[in-house]
Amino acid sequence: MPRADAIRRIGFLGTGIMGAPMARNLARAGFSVTAWNRDRSKAERLAADGVVIASTPASAAADQDAVVVMLSSGPVCDEVMFGAGGAVAAMRSGSLLIVMSSIPVETAKAQAQLANRSGISYLDAPVSGGEVGATAATLSIMVGGSVEHVQSAAPIFAAMGKPVHIGPVGTGELTKLVNQLTVASTIVAVAEALLLARQGGADIARVREALMAGFAGSRILDLHGQRMIEGTFAPGGPAKYQVKDTAAARSTATELGLDLPMLNLADALFGDLVAHGGGELDHSAIILELSRRNGLSPEEYAPLTN
Amino acid sequence: MPRADAIRRIGFLGTGIMGAPMARNLARAGFSVTAWNRDRSKAERLAADGVVIASTPASAAADQDAVVVMLSSGPVCDEVMFGAGGAVAAMRSGSLLIVMSSIPVETAKAQAQLANRSGISYLDAPVSGGEVGATAATLSIMVGGSVEHVQSAAPIFAAMGKPVHIGPVGTGELTKLVNQLTVASTIVAVAEALLLARQGGADIARVREALMAGFAGSRILDLHGQRMIEGTFAPGGPAKYQVKDTAAARSTATELGLDLPMLNLADALFGDLVAHGGGELDHSAIILELSRRNGLSPEEYAPLTN
């Protein structure tokens, strides 16, 4: 394991909407970054910031102190990291593998076992904060792994946002799921609140203002409540991804022997929104699904301002 | 209607846990306050701040520029305001009646009609912020009524907290209900999130810290999440009152032709908590009900720290 001050060279796999600004921030913080992306053109935009572009995952991962992974899903991570010509076989023993994608808890644990067999340390470190947070280096980073490895990775995380070490491998991904289930349920709660207020004749912009000052105040009420008031449902976070998250959280809950009724309800409601054509809308559009269920016509609910 | 700068004399009905500090703050702000309370001893503690103590609701309300009501429920308000020897019959025509109790929307509208018949103006202005907010004069005040009357009452509200004018009579009470339903659903969401995280092996204090930094951040996660982590369920807001609030919100939703599934679920879950003996616990104890439903013994969930 490299010490914190010994990590200079980083391989970066996956430079999409989130990965590109994260890799750029690492380069700007002084790390020597070599990036690979399946669509090479997306990686090449980073060359202006001194990022070296690699042709294969293996060449990006070879001879690095650490490899950061920001690919789109668990199966894609598995393929790029452990498939034929994959990155992990090219990594040095004693180096550090940091998976920042949102993937299932069990997938993270299995990846850690495979990496450890090659003498490679593993952290799961998914993020919250979106493209804005990735660009501004203000991501909330939820980290699972050993204390020693988290300390080694501290300068890497500091270049991208604020890490919180949650517990052993897998608990970073668990926390991301827990974050998503909290967001999903809170968005439904805010949507029901504003719908009730509006149907009762209140000015919902003022309702939001009054609620923000008390116990009902939340980031969701602030940001997504404003979207509901304005009727602006361009994503943001598309509803179809919200369903993926609630399904993953249900699956993890089931594995742990837990039945969580509000999670189940949020999952069903977002599923209905997608089934009725709202999959590409921002998840705050759940207020449209609640309106539809209650027989309100689109003219009655969009926009929701009085 | 008195102009704002013309309101000097205030009658105050109901000096309980909330009403006493509110009346005290009005007196300290320079208003001439005459208070009545059914249990006179509770009102007499205010004499040190220059509050005059009245023996009947009518004598507290007579010859005032405005009367503020902070009694415990809609029926109690109706009795004290409109019953035999009630306050409203003693009020001057042209004066202002401000009901700050949390009462049903329809009750507020009916009270306004009755008051208006005697030439008395009416505002519904329930509050959020609890005893702490009442004492510190930082209450969130949700006001329903005409613009003119809200402007007249501005100095009164300023002595107790921050008013937001929502819309016509009844929308103050509607907003309070909407606040309570948002709180109820969000507490359940946070409880499910922390339970899933804990059963998955995460340090839930760190989960809360990580979630507070992102879209899942809320006053509920901050304050009630901390209670769940520490297992400190002394109220605060007792679960039995939460059920009263969710039932009232359901009733108003039904009157408006709305079926709100998450409100229904929160109402059922808090009802279960009360049915299983948790009525006197803080509403954050909903995590105990969720634990019980999932077959976790008290030893496994209290305290919830790892």
Side-chain angles (χ1 to χ4, degrees):
Chain A
M1 263 290 303
R3 293 182 320 175
D5 57 5
I7 293 187
R8 301 302 316 152
R9 297 174 49 81
I10 297 175
F12 201 104
L13 307 179
T15 57
I17 292 174
M18 295 292 291
M22 291 163 71
R24 184 178 289 116
N25 284 331
L26 287 170
R28 289 180 179 174
F31 292 101
S32 170
V33 178
T34 302
W36 170 85
N37 195 64
R38 196 177 297 277
D39 175 354
R40 186 185 168 105
S41 67
K42 288 186 183 170
E44 283 173 346
R45 292 174 206 156
L46 299 169
D49 288 287
V51 174
V52 176
I53 313 304
S55 301
T56 66
S59 60
D63 199 30
Q64 307 288 3
D65 301 318
V67 172
V68 175
V69 181
M70 195 62 189
L71 296 160
S72 60
S73 71
V76 172
C77 288
D78 277 342
E79 182 210 334
V80 170
M81 288 158 53
F82 300 105
V88 174
M91 287 177 71
R92 283 199 288 106
S93 175
S95 64
L96 180 61
L97 177 60
I98 308 174
V99 175
M100 303 188 75
S101 307
S102 294
I103 62 176
V105 173
E106 293 308 318
T107 302
K109 290 181 180 173
Q111 290 176 352
Q113 284 197 328
L114 278 174
N116 291 346
R117 278 187 209 155
S118 305
I120 295 165
S121 306
Y122 182 97
L123 296 173
D124 54 304
V127 302
S128 175
E131 188 182 356
V132 171
T135 302
T138 58
L139 291 168
S140 172
I141 308 171
M142 297 155 263
V143 190
S146 77
V147 171
E148 177 196 7
H149 301 155
V150 174
Q151 286 173 345
S152 294
I156 297 179
F157 293 139
M160 296 185 283
K162 180 176 176 294
V164 178
H165 182 202
I166 308 292
V169 164
T171 58
E173 297 295 348
L174 176 68
T175 304
K176 178 70 192 284
L177 272 188
V178 160
N179 184 77
Q180 300 307 89
L181 93 79
T182 307
V183 165
S185 295
T186 309
I187 289 184
V188 176
V190 166
E192 288 194 355
L194 293 183
L195 193 60
L196 179 61
R198 177 177 174 275
Q199 294 305 107
D203 179 327
I204 59 174
R206 293 183 185 178
V207 169
R208 170 178 161 281
E209 181 190 346
L211 265 57
M212 277 303 295
F215 284 152
S218 66
R219 287 286 296 281
I220 295 293
L221 176 63
D222 189 11
L223 302 174
H224 299 84
Q226 186 61 30
R227 281 173 166 272
M228 295 177 201
I229 290 166
E230 294 174 354
T232 52
F233 299 122
K240 64 182 179 183
Y241 294 148
Q242 186 71 81
V243 176
K244 197 184 75 169
D245 290 336
T246 50
R250 284 188 71 164
S251 169
T252 298
T254 301
E255 283 165 20
L256 294 169
L258 289 175
D259 179 57
L260 301 175
M262 189 166 280
L263 169 61
N264 298 344
L265 174 61
D267 182 53
L269 289 171
F270 280 106
D272 286 348
L273 173 60
V274 172
H276 289 101
E280 303 297 333
L281 298 178
D282 186 74
H283 45 181
S284 54
I286 195 67
I287 196 167
L288 303 186
E289 172 60 23
L290 289 168
S291 300
R292 191 200 59 75
R293 286 168 62 98
N294 280 286
L296 302 174
S297 70
E299 290 68 30
E300 287 179 272
Y301 59 65
L304 281 156
T305 41
N306 304 75
Chain B
M1 264 292 305
R3 292 182 319 174
D5 59 3
I7 294 187
R8 301 302 316 152
R9 297 174 48 80
I10 297 175
F12 202 104
L13 308 179
T15 57
I17 291 174
M18 295 292 292
M22 291 162 71
R24 183 177 290 117
N25 284 330
L26 287 170
R28 289 180 179 175
F31 292 101
S32 170
V33 178
T34 303
W36 170 85
N37 195 65
R38 194 177 298 276
D39 175 355
R40 186 185 169 106
S41 68
K42 288 186 183 171
E44 283 174 345
R45 293 174 205 157
L46 298 169
D49 288 286
V51 174
V52 175
I53 313 304
S55 301
T56 66
S59 60
D63 199 29
Q64 307 290 1
D65 301 317
V67 172
V68 175
V69 180
M70 195 61 190
L71 296 159
S72 60
S73 71
V76 173
C77 288
D78 277 343
E79 182 209 335
V80 170
M81 288 159 53
F82 300 106
V88 173
M91 286 177 72
R92 284 199 287 105
S93 175
S95 64
L96 180 61
L97 176 61
I98 308 173
V99 174
M100 303 189 74
S101 307
S102 294
I103 62 175
V105 173
E106 293 308 316
T107 302
K109 289 181 180 174
Q111 290 176 351
Q113 284 197 328
L114 279 174
N116 292 347
R117 279 186 209 156
S118 306
I120 294 164
S121 305
Y122 182 97
L123 296 173
D124 53 304
V127 301
S128 174
E131 188 182 357
V132 171
T135 303
T138 58
L139 291 168
S140 173
I141 308 171
M142 297 154 265
V143 190
S146 78
V147 172
E148 178 197 8
H149 302 154
V150 174
Q151 287 173 345
S152 294
I156 297 178
F157 293 139
M160 296 185 283
K162 180 177 176 292
V164 178
H165 183 203
I166 307 292
V169 163
T171 58
E173 298 294 349
L174 177 68
T175 304
K176 178 71 191 285
L177 272 188
V178 160
N179 184 77
Q180 301 305 89
L181 93 79
T182 307
V183 165
S185 295
T186 308
I187 288 184
V188 177
V190 166
E192 289 193 355
L194 292 182
L195 193 60
L196 179 61
R198 176 177 174 275
Q199 293 305 105
D203 179 327
I204 59 173
R206 294 185 185 177
V207 170
R208 170 178 162 280
E209 181 190 346
L211 265 56
M212 278 303 294
F215 284 153
S218 67
R219 286 286 296 280
I220 295 292
L221 177 63
D222 190 12
L223 302 174
H224 299 84
Q226 187 61 29
R227 281 174 167 271
M228 294 177 201
I229 290 167
E230 294 173 354
T232 53
F233 299 122
K240 64 183 180 183
Y241 294 148
Q242 186 70 80
V243 176
K244 196 184 75 168
D245 290 336
T246 51
R250 284 188 73 163
S251 169
T252 297
T254 300
E255 283 166 19
L256 294 169
L258 289 175
D259 179 58
L260 301 175
M262 189 166 278
L263 169 61
N264 297 345
L265 174 61
D267 182 53
L269 289 171
F270 280 106
D272 287 347
L273 173 59
V274 172
H276 290 100
E280 303 297 333
L281 298 178
D282 186 74
H283 46 180
S284 55
I286 195 68
I287 196 167
L288 303 186
E289 172 59 24
L290 289 168
S291 299
R292 190 199 60 74
R293 286 168 62 98
N294 279 286
L296 302 174
S297 69
E299 290 69 29
E300 287 178 272
Y301 60 65
L304 280 156
T305 40
N306 303 76

